[in-house]
mmCIF file of all heavy atoms in Angstrom:
data_model
loop_
_atom_site.group_PDB
_atom_site.id
_atom_site.type_symbol
_atom_site.label_atom_id
_atom_site.label_comp_id
_atom_site.label_asym_id
_atom_site.label_seq_id
_atom_site.Cartn_x
_atom_site.Cartn_y
_atom_site.Cartn_z
ATOM 1 N N ALA A 14 -102.542 51.454 16.085
ATOM 2 C CA ALA A 14 -103.951 51.327 16.696
ATOM 3 C C ALA A 14 -104.942 52.223 16.010
ATOM 4 O O ALA A 14 -106.073 51.741 15.765
ATOM 5 C CB ALA A 14 -103.819 51.588 18.210
ATOM 6 N N PRO A 15 -104.545 53.431 15.728
ATOM 7 C CA PRO A 15 -105.662 54.329 15.082
ATOM 8 C C PRO A 15 -105.968 53.822 13.798
ATOM 9 O O PRO A 15 -107.339 53.856 13.346
ATOM 10 C CB PRO A 15 -104.938 55.710 14.915
ATOM 11 C CG PRO A 15 -103.921 55.726 16.069
ATOM 12 C CD PRO A 15 -103.465 54.293 16.163
ATOM 13 N N THR A 16 -105.125 53.220 13.024
ATOM 14 C CA THR A 16 -105.387 52.583 11.689
ATOM 15 C C THR A 16 -106.312 51.390 11.869
ATOM 16 O O THR A 16 -107.275 51.206 11.135
ATOM 17 C CB THR A 16 -104.170 52.189 10.983
ATOM 18 O OG1 THR A 16 -103.300 53.373 10.822
ATOM 19 C CG2 THR A 16 -104.411 51.676 9.632
ATOM 20 N N ARG A 17 -105.999 50.527 12.837
ATOM 21 C CA ARG A 17 -106.934 49.375 13.127
ATOM 22 C C ARG A 17 -108.242 49.791 13.532
ATOM 23 O O ARG A 17 -109.250 49.200 13.073
ATOM 24 C CB ARG A 17 -106.270 48.505 14.192
ATOM 25 C CG ARG A 17 -104.931 47.731 13.687
ATOM 26 C CD ARG A 17 -104.449 46.712 14.641
ATOM 27 N NE ARG A 17 -104.331 47.170 15.989
ATOM 28 C CZ ARG A 17 -103.149 47.537 16.470
ATOM 29 N NH1 ARG A 17 -102.056 47.618 15.699
ATOM 30 N NH2 ARG A 17 -103.004 47.931 17.746
ATOM 31 N N ILE A 18 -108.399 50.905 14.358
ATOM 32 C CA ILE A 18 -109.642 51.377 14.856
ATOM 33 C C ILE A 18 -110.447 51.825 13.605
ATOM 34 O O ILE A 18 -111.615 51.604 13.476
ATOM 35 C CB ILE A 18 -109.476 52.345 15.909
ATOM 36 C CG1 ILE A 18 -108.919 51.716 17.149
ATOM 37 C CG2 ILE A 18 -110.810 53.110 16.151
ATOM 38 C CD1 ILE A 18 -108.482 52.812 18.209
ATOM 39 N N ALA A 19 -109.772 52.612 12.720
ATOM 40 C CA ALA A 19 -110.455 53.162 11.602
ATOM 41 C C ALA A 19 -111.002 52.072 10.588
ATOM 42 O O ALA A 19 -112.130 52.120 10.186
ATOM 43 C CB ALA A 19 -109.579 54.075 10.730
ATOM 44 N N ALA A 20 -110.206 51.001 10.422
ATOM 45 C CA ALA A 20 -110.537 49.871 9.689
ATOM 46 C C ALA A 20 -111.823 49.128 10.212
ATOM 47 O O ALA A 20 -112.731 48.824 9.498
ATOM 48 C CB ALA A 20 -109.401 48.892 9.478
ATOM 49 N N ALA A 21 -111.801 48.985 11.582
ATOM 50 C CA ALA A 21 -112.857 48.295 12.268
ATOM 51 C C ALA A 21 -114.154 49.156 12.073
ATOM 52 O O ALA A 21 -115.232 48.606 11.880
ATOM 53 C CB ALA A 21 -112.519 47.972 13.741
ATOM 54 N N LEU A 22 -113.983 50.470 12.286
ATOM 55 C CA LEU A 22 -115.187 51.341 12.141
ATOM 56 C C LEU A 22 -115.714 51.309 10.699
ATOM 57 O O LEU A 22 -116.936 51.334 10.523
ATOM 58 C CB LEU A 22 -114.881 52.779 12.581
ATOM 59 C CG LEU A 22 -114.588 53.010 14.113
ATOM 60 C CD1 LEU A 22 -114.017 54.339 14.401
ATOM 61 C CD2 LEU A 22 -115.916 52.740 14.877
ATOM 62 N N ALA A 23 -114.834 51.359 9.757
ATOM 63 C CA ALA A 23 -115.220 51.279 8.389
ATOM 64 C C ALA A 23 -116.011 50.071 8.008
ATOM 65 O O ALA A 23 -116.936 49.964 7.151
ATOM 66 C CB ALA A 23 -114.048 51.515 7.495
ATOM 67 N N ALA A 24 -115.640 48.958 8.680
ATOM 68 C CA ALA A 24 -116.347 47.661 8.536
ATOM 69 C C ALA A 24 -117.510 47.481 9.400
ATOM 70 O O ALA A 24 -118.088 46.386 9.482
ATOM 71 C CB ALA A 24 -115.341 46.544 8.740
ATOM 72 N N ALA A 25 -117.855 48.551 10.169
ATOM 73 C CA ALA A 25 -118.908 48.542 11.147
ATOM 74 C C ALA A 25 -118.687 47.416 12.212
ATOM 75 O O ALA A 25 -119.708 46.856 12.700
ATOM 76 C CB ALA A 25 -120.265 48.370 10.443
ATOM 77 N N ASP A 26 -117.453 47.096 12.513
ATOM 78 C CA ASP A 26 -117.078 46.150 13.480
ATOM 79 C C ASP A 26 -116.867 46.944 14.796
ATOM 80 O O ASP A 26 -115.778 47.198 15.235
ATOM 81 C CB ASP A 26 -115.831 45.365 13.103
ATOM 82 C CG ASP A 26 -115.435 44.260 14.022
ATOM 83 O OD1 ASP A 26 -116.041 44.139 15.129
ATOM 84 O OD2 ASP A 26 -114.548 43.493 13.690
#
Side-chain angles (χ1 to χ4, degrees):
T16 303
R17 290 191 304 268
I18 291 167
L22 290 171
D26 185 351

